[in-house]
Amino acid sequence: NEDSTWISEETYLGKKEKRNVFYKLGTWERKGDIISLKSDAAADWQFAIGVDTLFMVDKTGEVISKTTNFNYALANTPDNISMKFPVIMHGMFTFMADAMRIKLCEWNGKSYPVQLTPKTIRIQEEYAKIIQSPGEAVMLEFQGRLAMQPAMEGNGQEMNIVVEKFLQFKQREQCRNHY
C-alpha cells in the first residue's frame, strides 16, 4: 500500500487440512532496489523490486529462486483485500458515541471501524469496566480479520475490522510494545 503497510495471504499447497491460508500484517521500507517487510509475526524479509513482483533475496542480496527450487515471489494485489480467516492482532481500541475503532499496531496505527457483531458486545462491556474517561484508547488483543463492508457514512465500501474473538485488554501497553 502507498501508506507503507502490507498484508500477505499465504496458501500452503498440498496441505490436507481445511485451513491452508494464513495472513500476516506489517509495514515496509524501501532502500534503493530492496524492500524490507517488517512484522511482529515474522522476521524481516528482504525483497528485490521487479515489475509488479517482489523477489525474496538472501543475506548477500541474491534472489533466492535463482539459487534454489523455491519460488519466493510476491505479486501485487488490490488494496482492498478481505481476509478469509482471523489472525491475532493488537491495537488501540476506542469506543465513543456508539462507534468502535481500532488503530492497528501491526499497521503503524492505521485506524479502522469495528464491525458491530454479538462478539463485540463483550468488548464494549469489558472496556466500560476499565476506562478512566470516555473515548480513552486501550490496547486490545484479539483474533480478527480485515474485510470490506458497506461504508458507515456515504456510499461505497470501506475496510473494517471484524473481531472473531476477544482475547484481552492490556491497559498499560501501547503499540510500540508490540512492534
Side-chain angles (χ1 to χ4, degrees), residues 136-150:
E136 179 181 341
V138 181
M139 172 65 69
L140 172 65
E141 182 178 34
F142 63 100
Q143 286 183 352
R145 56 190 176 83
L146 296 170
M148 294 300 291
Q149 302 288 333

Side-chain angles (χ1 to χ4, degrees), residues 91-107:
M92 300 307 292
F93 177 85
T94 58
F95 178 49
M96 198 165 175
D98 293 334
M100 294 177 287
R101 293 195 72 83
I102 297 175
K103 290 183 178 180
L104 286 178
C105 296
E106 290 84 358
W107 271 12

Side-chain angles (χ1 to χ4, degrees), residues 17 24 62 82 176:
E17 288 90 24
K24 292 185 180 100
E62 185 71 28
S82 288
R176 64 184 169 273

